[in-house]
Amino acid sequence: MVPAVSVNGTSDVERMARTARALLMTGGLLESTATGERLKRTEIAQALIKHLSAGDSPDDRTAGATAGTVRRLAADQTVQAAERALDKLAGGASAANLSDIEVSCLEAIVLVTGRPAMRFTKGRVEMPPDIGGNGPWRVIVATAQSSVDLVASSVGRIELHVPGSLCEIIGTGWRVGADLVVTNRHVVERLVTDGSTQPDLWQIDGGKPAMIDFGRATANERFSFTSLAYVAAEPSADIAILQLHAGSGPFPDPLAIEWDERAVGRTVPQGDASVFQGKQLYVVGHPWRPFSSTAVAAVLGDADGSKRWSPGYATQLETSVPFLEHDCSTLGGSSGSCVLRSDCHKVVALHFGGRGVRELTGMGAANVALPLSVLVSRRVGEILRTGHI
Amino acid sequence: MPTFKGASGGNPDATNLARWFEALAKRDPTLHSELSNRLRPPAAPADDITSEATASLDDARQVVLTLETIVRAGRPALFVKNHHIVFDDIPSDAVAQVIIDRLKIAAPTIEAVLPLIGRIDVGNHPSALTYVGTGWLVEQNVVVTNRHVAEFVARQGGSSFVFRAGRFGDPLNVSIDYRREAGAPGKDVAPVSGVIWIEPDYKGPDIAFLKIGERQDATHRGWIAIAEQDAAPGTEVVVVGYPARAPISIVPDQAWMDRIYGGAYDVKRVAPGMVGDMNRGWTTHDCTTLGGNSGSVVLDAKTGQAVALHFAGLYLVENYAVPASAIRRYKRERPWQGLGSSSSATTSPEHSRPPSSAPPAQVKTTAPGRVSITIPLTITVSLGEMGTDATRLDSAQTTSLDEAAHRLFMNQRGNGVFAVKPGYLIDVDRLSDVDCLVLKANPVRFDEVRASAPPTFQGYPVDVRPASVDDLVAISDVVTEAVSSISYNDGDRTGPGFSFETVVEKMKGLIHVGPERSWTVLSEYLSGTEHKLVASMYEFHAKHVADALEKELDDGASLQLVLATQSRDPKSARVAAGDFERGALFEQWRREFGRKFKSVFVPLGADGLVANAYHIKVTVRDDRTVWLSSGNWKNTSQPVITAESLNDPKVTSRAGNREWHVLLESPTLAERFQNHIMADYERSLALGGEAEAVEAQVWVDVPEAVLEGPDFEAVATRVLDPLPIDRQVRVKPLLTPDHKGRVYSEAVIDLIRSARKQLLFQNQYIKMAGAASGFLKALVDALVDRAKRIDDFRIILRSGDSLVDDVSALKRRGVDVATSVRKLTNTHTKGIVVDGMKALVGSHNWSAPGVTLNRDASLIFDDSEIAQYYAQAFEIDWDRARSAISAKETPESVPRLASDLEPPLGFKRMTLSEYLEG
């Protein structure tokens, strides 16, 4: 059992619970009864089981009778815990009264009922289950799968291959321009000789050889880097650009960038206040985070570093700080992922972290990305626009 | 016996059940007597039934149910468990005691061979099929099944047979499981390592041989012996196989099917029955089967020997099987031999398919009284439909005229006789009321056939007429049943974005018709593009349409095209005047416009998106505005009419096809159609839609007089201007193959049934040959029913070489065709107007695949202004349309399959689809 850890950011948890409730309502999975609200347990449990077994190899799926039983139990317990959590909150309890596992269970519900993180099979994104608020995402996969797949083929996993050690996944990068890869500064920090110095002094450490693996079905999908082309110095811009080493095969296609800040949504007046109406977005990245607890892993599945497609909405845009908030499920460890608009498949932001992130799961109530539109007039913007250093 | 009536939509209908039951009295008096005791008369005496409509329906329904129950008791399909027939837990009234007693006696014999019969399973199939049929050991490590089963997993590749590609190009995983029993989880699997032989001749037996690897337990158990003699009529048999749930497009009454099979499918069953008379060289039987039984063994219940290989059927009416003698012949002659039969994928140079350059309709006599006909067509296996009247053998249903037609055909078949159909003598320009036998002759050998045909047969006059293209195609077709379905992804298309619910919203646009306003409206529509066009199109040939699209691409718009293979450049590489070179231009667009231009050709067949035609014509502009039509982007459907002639009906009505079009700004309709078209694009890519079309084109030589038809047609009296719309409209979108045709068929049946005073129907054709079952039957039933009930019922059809057959079939169904059916040569619209209140407009032709498994789009407007607009178009056409029957067709007036290098003088060569589409 997971030790009870006090949950920080109570309001974020409440917000996440509200999201969960809204998604359940959309899909008709929450029924009002005389005694309170009841979840449609069977449907949700089935979706959870599917989610949990999605990463299995085909052999596991047929042979793993025991694994199947474990998952069925885990799914049932997840649904019950989530139901309990929703009951508590509906009864006026504060989010602080929720156990940590209850919060994780709500997160799992969000993940399968409306903010999925779909895997790719042989380079093709999988169809989200027909449950909850997944409808819009199912339409995207049904009508634009080849565009999503094409984007995803330009997104790779950055691995650190220190001789004598196991390969370590340190983040995600995506191709732009002639031979460039965009990722976070805090990812590149792992590759340089001395990360404590000014970023503009950073040098790639020859003793920390890194590769990017685009995970394409064809061979030659891995490339090393020749140099660190750019690192942003200002704290608020967590961005760096690496230059690819020409390998034996062609690079994947460069991604197109949308520079118009209105592309992610706009603020509209609503009564006295104003609200932000965000567009549909999706994140492609390689979330990797060994969960600190098997109980959590049993609920959320593994973030095993394989490629994921996570659709959602832009929820807030702040250009002065700057950040773009979105609610796509990034599962933690998605540093360097690209955030795209789902209708034109152009990059609008660089994912770098979360707000209200819980230590236990690495998931947060809101994810934060660097909107690229704010960079347009800076040097990094020029590099991204021209495709050259 | 009570009188059986009603039962419309019942499946099979009461007549079939009753006739089978009557025949049983002679064939199996013991069973008949037991079943008779179970038959209780209905609550009301039959004579009173007609007095009150609803009561009669209920009572008739009751009669059918009662009858069905006793038939089921006589022809059950019993489960197998651990290789034993399951006799326990059978409800006392479910199976006749006589049957149980007999089966118990036969059980030791039958059960000895049950472990030799298996289900042919497939993993990784692109259409997500899990199994394709039944097979059984006929030699050590050799399993026999049907050709149409083997073709799901294999094809001829060079001189040998190779497995088809599986999902995402991965290998298929084919195996046979000798268990797959209800309530017994055990497996007994052996891999299918190769295909030894698939009979290439579609007139020949539906047979194939598979090579089997070792069983998991590496044991051998022998094989099933083939009977020395073909089974005599009356032989008691059992069919052992794996009946699969049939889709609604094949068995509309799904509840009936579930009653028969208790809702359990895909498991081993033993179905007892009796052999009937030989038919066309096939063994027949009356055991209960479904698709999935394809490849089942027909066992003699007394000897346990195989008397036949089941391949097709219709419940109770007739089931067909390859007789023992034919199977023995393969075992003896081994057509695959000498080709390294030890290898897993064996080869067949000696008996390869006829080369595609072979002249068509070769008719040669191979043995006295036996004739084989080879027609170099690619025939798509029909999905369980009974064939044309000519090949219809359901003696239970035939009237004496049908019987005579059947006998005459058996008597005259071959030697240029393609079919004999019941019909009416033609009296100058109308059908007389005199029944006759219409003998359909190969047009090329017409005089010869007419000289040798008898003037009368069994009292009916014989009228020799040139065969239609349908007849030519049908003659080489075989009625089959299979676990078949297309690889359309209904399951991915859920939710409001793909919905077929009625849309009620403010819409703005133009309701219009062609030829007069086809291009003026479409060209304006295309030039109004701001950023995006998403289009689906059957035939995109016209250069002026391509030019208009190119202009939009030049202006920065994106274009996504989903096209039928019919939009490819013709194989002859001859681009017609006014057309453009599709391959070259699309390639150029791809180069110039990059990802702004996308196109795909939709794959067809079991592994395809649709059965045989991506026939839709819908475009969506800027996510808002829908253009939907009956017409293609061809010069016939989108003729360019000079400005000064636009208001001259003499010019406009001869410029091209009569089409009904819709142009509406409606975000909801636009979203739904666009989602479906884009999903078609994605699904086609996933199914390998970029690949070259596999099917060979069928070429026909068409008389120039037929092609010039519109010039001889009376001109329209006026030009119909578009109807502008800018208000709330109620409209229901319909697409096939969604839910296998259910979306379209159910809505249109409701529309037809709603007619109270007037029903106007205009379509290219109603293919009555395909109306024996399925949704087309239900649609035609509804139409015929209205024809008899309402005052103003009128049909306009396009003239075509099967029109006389179709009109005759309508007359035989009771439609007063002399007053209510006319023909208009350039009709290409597919519409219905009901009571001036509702209108159907779209691209759905009335053929069996046209209303089920092809891609088509239509709209039903619940809007009197729009309905009356289309009614006006109909009236203009009705006034100039002619009697559906004209002077008799001559061999020179009908199309023929292309044979020589050049078409005969006065004929023009074109593909079959071009001819059918006009």
Side-chain angles (χ1 to χ4, degrees):
Chain A
M1 198 50 215
V2 183
V5 178
S6 72
V7 178
N8 295 324
T10 299
S11 66
D12 284 333
V13 172
E14 277 168 356
R15 187 165 144 184
M16 196 261 300
R18 276 202 302 279
T19 308
R21 180 183 298 279
L23 292 170
L24 292 165
M25 296 289 274
T26 308
L29 296 168
L30 198 60
E31 296 175 310
S32 289
T33 65
T35 55
E37 288 173 323
R38 283 289 160 267
L39 296 181
K40 288 198 176 168
R41 293 184 178 182
T42 322
E43 283 98 324
I44 302 170
Q46 270 165 5
L48 281 167
I49 291 165
K50 190 160 182 277
H51 161 72
L52 291 171
S53 50
D56 293 354
S57 71
D59 291 344
D60 293 344
R61 283 186 208 188
T62 47
T66 323
T69 310
V70 168
R71 286 198 190 99
R72 219 170 4 261
L73 285 172
D76 287 344
Q77 285 167 7
T78 301
V79 178
Q80 286 170 33
E83 201 172 68
R84 217 162 45 233
L86 290 173
D87 272 353
K88 283 187 191 174
L89 293 171
S94 104
N97 294 1
L98 300 188
S99 79
D100 215 77
I101 203 73
E102 283 170 348
V103 176
S104 302
C105 290
L106 281 179
E107 283 176 343
I109 297 288
V110 170
L111 196 59
V112 297
T113 60
R115 292 297 178 270
M118 301 312 297
R119 292 171 186 268
F120 288 77
T121 306
K122 304 200 173 182
R124 298 175 60 81
V125 67
E126 293 186 348
M127 178 64 82
D130 192 2
I131 185 174
N134 282 334
W137 323 131
R138 288 172 54 80
V139 171
I140 293 174
V141 175
T143 62
Q145 184 175 34
S146 59
S147 299
V148 171
D149 295 341
L150 191 64
V151 162
S153 70
S154 300
V155 181
R157 181 165 86 180
I158 301 178
E159 302 165 351
L160 187 56
H161 293 263
V162 177
S165 316
L166 289 174
C167 153
E168 189 186 349
I169 299 164
I170 60 171
T172 298
W174 38 279
R175 191 195 158 199
V176 290
D179 54 357
L180 306 177
V181 162
V182 180
T183 186
N184 289 141
R185 180 178 53 213
H186 76 261
V187 170
V188 164
E189 194 177 351
R190 303 280 311 276
L191 308 177
V192 298
T193 43
D194 184 0
S196 64
T197 58
Q198 289 283 329
D200 46 4
L201 301 174
W202 284 3
Q203 295 276 328
I204 294 273
D205 183 344
K208 299 174 182 168
M211 308 275 281
I212 182 161
D213 182 347
F214 290 105
R216 286 178 293 172
T218 51
N220 305 318
E221 71 270 39
R222 289 163 120 204
F223 300 89
S224 59
F225 302 107
T226 53
S227 65
L228 180 56
Y230 173 85
V231 193
E234 52 276 60
S236 64
D238 188 353
I239 184 170
I241 299 176
L242 291 157
Q243 192 166 23
L244 283 169
H245 189 280
S248 48
F251 299 143
D253 292 349
L255 294 182
I257 294 172
E258 173 60 65
W259 293 103
D260 187 345
E261 74 176 47
R262 290 166 303 180
V264 297
R266 61 203 180 101
T267 305
V268 292
Q270 193 177 71
D272 294 338
S274 61
V275 291
F276 180 76
Q277 281 187 347
K279 297 280 188 187
Q280 282 182 5
L281 306 175
Y282 63 81
V283 174
V284 182
H286 292 264
W288 184 77
R289 184 185 160 96
F291 289 122
S292 52
S293 131
T294 51
V296 172
V299 170
L300 288 170
D302 273 330
D304 57 1
S306 61
K307 197 172 283 183
R308 304 281 193 137
W309 177 77
S310 309
Y313 289 91
T315 51
Q316 199 187 340
L317 175 67
E318 186 57 64
T319 48
S320 54
V321 178
F323 65 84
L324 168 70
E325 243 181 51
H326 65 85
D327 62 4
C328 312
S329 293
T330 51
L331 295 183
S334 296
S335 294
S337 299
C338 47
V339 185
L340 298 100
R341 220 177 100 152
S342 63
D343 55 353
C344 61
H345 310 281
K346 288 180 177 177
V347 183
V348 293
L350 169 66
H351 180 78
F352 65 84
R355 287 202 309 110
V357 176
R358 297 189 314 120
E359 187 57 34
L360 192 62
T361 61
M363 291 173 72
N367 294 300
V368 195
L370 175 65
L372 298 182
S373 59
V374 303
L375 306 176
V376 66
S377 56
R378 306 195 198 184
R379 167 135 190 276
V380 58
E382 194 187 322
I383 295 172
L384 292 176
R385 272 188 291 114
T386 61
H388 295 283
I389 305 302
Chain B
M1 289 288 295
T3 339
F4 300 102
K5 51 164 80 176
S8 64
N11 194 9
D13 67 28
T15 324
N16 289 344
L17 298 174
R19 283 189 190 271
W20 177 84
F21 191 56
E22 275 170 36
L24 193 68
K26 243 187 270 171
R27 296 167 64 186
D28 191 347
T30 324
L31 178 60
H32 183 263
S33 138
E34 182 187 335
L35 296 181
S36 297
N37 291 338
R38 295 165 175 243
L39 183 62
R40 291 178 199 89
D47 291 344
D48 296 347
I49 283 177
T50 46
S51 58
E52 214 258 301
T54 45
S56 84
L57 275 178
D58 287 350
D59 291 342
R61 180 92 191 121
Q62 191 52 49
V63 171
V64 176
L65 279 175
T66 313
L67 190 57
E68 185 193 295
T69 312
I70 63 148
V71 167
R72 194 160 75 226
R75 287 296 175 261
L78 298 173
F79 289 124
V80 172
K81 193 167 180 181
N82 299 322
H83 298 314
H84 293 289
I85 302 171
V86 178
F87 292 109
D88 303 336
D89 302 329
I90 298 175
S92 60
D93 59 340
V95 180
Q97 195 55 45
V98 176
I99 293 289
I100 292 184
D101 293 346
R102 287 177 193 166
L103 272 180
K104 279 191 171 161
I105 293 167
T109 314
I110 296 167
E111 288 169 353
V113 299
L114 288 181
L116 308 173
I117 303 157
R119 202 179 92 164
I120 300 176
D121 288 347
V122 54
N124 224 11
H125 197 272
S127 66
L129 284 175
T130 54
Y131 81 102
V132 290
T134 304
W136 41 283
L137 284 160
V138 72
E139 281 179 23
Q140 175 142 344
N141 292 339
V142 175
V143 155
V144 64
T145 184
N146 292 144
R147 167 182 52 227
H148 74 269
V149 169
E151 284 180 339
F152 275 104
V153 295
R155 60 178 172 80
Q156 189 148 31
S159 59
S160 64
F161 297 94
V162 295
F163 285 127
R164 292 176 188 277
R167 209 160 166 256
F168 304 131
D170 289 347
L172 281 187
N173 180 9
V174 188
S175 58
I176 183 163
D177 187 338
Y178 300 98
R179 296 287 293 269
R180 294 284 180 180
E181 301 164 345
K187 288 185 164 201
D188 182 4
V189 181
V192 174
S193 55
V195 175
I196 299 170
W197 179 252
I198 299 176
E199 171 53 48
D201 179 2
Y202 271 78
K203 287 292 291 174
D206 190 345
I207 197 168
F209 295 86
L210 309 178
K211 181 113 186 124
I212 306 299
E214 293 282 300
R215 273 175 204 266
Q216 275 170 346
D217 62 4
T219 60
H220 297 288
R221 295 179 190 146
W223 53 86
I224 299 182
I226 312 290
E228 297 285 343
Q229 303 278 326
D230 287 348
T235 306
E236 281 173 35
V237 291
V238 292
V239 168
V240 184
Y242 295 85
R245 185 173 236 294
I248 194 162
S249 54
I250 293 172
V251 179
D253 190 345
Q254 299 263 299
W256 163 78
M257 185 175 61
D258 285 342
R259 286 197 299 277
I260 297 289
Y261 284 91
Y265 303 93
D266 311 350
V267 291
K268 195 180 263 186
R269 302 258 196 175
V270 173
M274 205 172 259
V275 167
D277 293 331
M278 279 280 206
N279 217 330
R280 284 194 299 169
W282 310 131
T283 295
T284 67
H285 66 82
D286 65 354
C287 306
T288 294
T289 61
L290 270 183
N293 272 113
S294 287
S296 290
V297 62
V298 184
L299 288 172
D300 185 321
K302 296 216 162 56
T303 65
Q305 293 184 331
V307 295
L309 167 72
H310 173 82
F311 69 90
L314 195 65
Y315 182 67
L316 287 180
V317 174
E318 204 128 60
N319 290 282
Y320 300 102
V322 178
S325 54
I327 308 172
R328 294 190 79 87
R329 198 173 66 240
Y330 282 90
K331 286 191 67 169
R332 194 172 58 242
E333 294 175 3
R334 311 186 85 73
W336 54 84
Q337 200 118 71
L339 312 161
S341 58
S342 59
S343 75
S344 61
T346 46
T347 51
S348 62
E350 286 172 53
H351 289 72
S352 57
R353 284 172 189 275
S356 58
S357 58
Q362 279 187 325
V363 182
K364 58 179 183 195
T365 308
T366 52
R370 274 186 61 84
V371 166
S372 83
I373 298 167
T374 308
I375 297 182
L377 294 178
T378 305
I379 299 302
T380 308
V381 169
S382 72
L383 299 171
E385 304 277 3
M386 287 302 288
T388 64
D389 291 345
T391 54
R392 209 168 92 184
L393 298 157
D394 44 347
S395 53
Q397 276 189 320
T398 46
T399 66
S400 53
L401 181 65
D402 288 329
E403 195 71 50
H406 173 54
R407 291 206 186 113
L408 179 60
F409 181 56
M410 298 311 276
N411 185 283
Q412 297 275 315
R413 62 189 296 199
N415 292 316
V417 176
F418 283 178
V420 178
K421 301 182 177 191
Y424 299 93
L425 286 177
I426 294 173
D427 178 8
V428 191
D429 62 350
R430 64 178 193 90
L431 294 178
S432 73
D433 294 330
V434 181
D435 286 337
C436 74
L437 298 168
V438 179
L439 192 150
K440 305 302 281 293
N442 182 347
V444 181
R445 304 176 63 190
F446 184 75
D447 292 339
E448 181 195 331
V449 172
R450 191 165 55 177
S452 65
T456 63
F457 184 79
Q458 297 191 342
Y460 295 103
V462 174
D463 195 7
V464 180
R465 296 178 196 166
S468 68
V469 169
D470 286 348
D471 296 327
L472 301 182
V473 172
I475 184 92
S476 54
D477 207 343
V478 173
V479 184
T480 53
E481 59 184 7
V483 193
S484 164
S485 64
I486 51 176
S487 300
Y488 186 77
N489 53 339
D490 274 309
D492 290 344
R493 305 182 188 216
T494 56
F498 292 102
S499 166
F500 301 105
E501 291 300 307
T502 298
V503 178
V504 185
E505 72 183 9
K506 190 167 181 297
M507 301 185 190
K508 185 176 177 183
L510 294 173
I511 304 301
H512 60 294
V513 295
E516 53 261 58
R517 294 297 179 262
S518 292
W519 178 240
T520 48
V521 175
L522 178 62
S523 57
E524 285 266 322
Y525 168 78
L526 294 177
S527 68
T529 308
E530 282 171 17
H531 64 272
K532 179 166 145 192
L533 286 167
V534 175
S536 56
M537 183 46 64
Y538 179 57
E539 292 181 308
F540 177 18
H541 298 174
K543 183 168 187 311
H544 63 280
V545 181
D547 289 346
L549 290 175
E550 188 171 273
K551 190 178 166 302
E552 299 313 308
L553 281 164
D554 275 332
D555 291 349
S558 67
L559 171 63
Q560 185 169 5
L561 285 181
V562 186
L563 300 170
T565 54
Q566 281 79 359
S567 284
R568 290 176 185 277
D569 283 323
K571 283 272 196 297
S572 67
R574 282 192 297 251
V575 174
D579 287 0
F580 68 105
E581 275 189 59
R582 278 80 79 182
L585 186 66
F586 291 169
E587 193 47 48
Q588 184 195 325
W589 286 357
R590 249 182 276 286
R591 268 199 318 274
E592 278 180 39
F593 305 111
R595 285 184 208 155
K596 293 229 162 182
F597 172 66
K598 292 182 189 172
S599 71
V600 71
F601 292 108
V602 171
L604 306 178
D607 302 342
L609 185 79
V610 296
N612 54 30
Y614 189 76
H615 191 251
I616 182 173
K617 310 106 182 13
V618 174
T619 300
V620 179
R621 184 182 77 185
D622 297 329
D623 306 316
R624 297 188 64 78
T625 311
V626 176
W627 175 86
L628 178 147
S629 167
S630 57
N632 299 303
W633 287 349
K634 294 172 74 176
N635 282 291
T636 44
S637 293
Q638 285 292 338
V640 180
I641 302 170
T642 56
E644 60 270 23
S645 304
L646 272 174
N647 292 313
D648 180 356
K650 287 195 288 297
V651 176
T652 60
S653 60
R654 282 182 173 164
N657 286 336
R658 171 59 96 200
E659 310 281 5
W660 294 2
H661 313 282
V662 171
L663 169 57
L664 281 177
E665 182 178 321
S666 161
T668 307
L669 271 187
E671 182 199 7
R672 295 189 195 171
F673 277 120
Q674 179 163 297
N675 281 344
H676 275 287
I677 298 168
M678 288 173 69
D680 288 351
Y681 174 87
E682 294 297 336
R683 185 66 176 164
S684 295
L685 281 189
L687 295 169
E690 288 289 14
E692 268 300 312
V694 284
E695 84 276 50
Q697 288 282 17
V698 176
W699 295 90
V700 289
D701 291 335
V702 183
E704 280 166 6
V706 170
L707 298 170
E708 288 156 6
D711 292 347
F712 300 113
E713 200 104 75
V715 294
T717 48
R718 67 189 181 98
V719 165
L720 192 56
D721 267 319
L723 167 72
I725 294 289
D726 188 3
R727 56 176 168 77
Q728 182 166 293
V729 175
R730 249 183 107 81
V731 59
K732 182 175 173 64
L734 305 175
L735 284 174
T736 48
D738 295 79
H739 304 176
K740 300 187 169 71
R742 188 181 195 158
V743 169
Y744 171 83
S745 298
E746 289 184 347
V748 174
I749 289 167
D750 283 349
L751 172 73
I752 292 170
R753 286 188 181 152
S754 76
R756 289 290 166 265
K757 296 191 183 76
Q758 186 190 54
L759 192 147
L760 309 174
F761 180 104
Q762 192 168 2
N763 201 310
Q764 208 169 333
Y765 48 67
I766 304 174
K767 293 285 186 193
M768 294 296 287
S773 64
F775 279 130
L776 186 59
K777 176 178 191 295
L779 286 160
V780 169
D781 285 349
L783 193 67
V784 168
D785 175 67
R786 284 298 107 176
K788 295 173 188 168
R789 286 168 193 264
I790 61 177
D791 295 338
D792 187 3
F793 176 90
R794 286 177 283 161
I795 294 179
I796 300 175
L797 300 172
R798 187 189 187 89
S799 54
D801 59 296
S802 70
L803 183 63
V804 176
D805 293 342
D806 294 332
V807 172
S808 301
L810 284 171
K811 178 178 165 81
R812 200 156 292 281
R813 295 287 305 271
V815 177
D816 178 5
V817 297
T819 58
S820 63
V821 183
R822 289 186 184 174
K823 73 172 175 189
L824 182 71
T825 303
N826 72 351
T827 291
H828 192 256
T829 186
K830 304 101 175 44
I832 298 175
V833 184
V834 169
D835 294 332
M837 300 298 292
K838 294 179 186 168
L840 170 81
V841 52
S843 68
H844 285 93
N845 286 330
W846 273 32
S847 65
V851 300
T852 55
L853 297 182
N854 283 341
R855 171 56 103 204
D856 275 291
S858 291
L859 295 169
I860 294 177
F861 287 101
D862 186 353
D863 187 299
S864 61
E865 193 184 10
I866 292 172
Q868 282 163 27
Y869 175 82
Y870 287 123
Q872 283 180 58
F874 183 95
E875 296 293 355
I876 292 170
D877 287 348
W878 182 258
D879 286 346
R880 65 195 181 112
R882 293 172 296 164
S883 159
I885 309 297
S886 47
K888 281 176 72 169
E889 305 277 19
T890 64
E892 290 74 34
S893 69
V894 296
R896 52 186 66 177
L897 292 175
S899 57
D900 300 318
L901 283 173
E902 292 294 325
L905 200 64
F907 285 75
K908 190 173 171 242
R909 184 157 296 178
M910 57 179 61
T911 64
L912 182 59
S913 65
E914 280 175 316
Y915 166 67
L916 293 176
E917 269 294 307

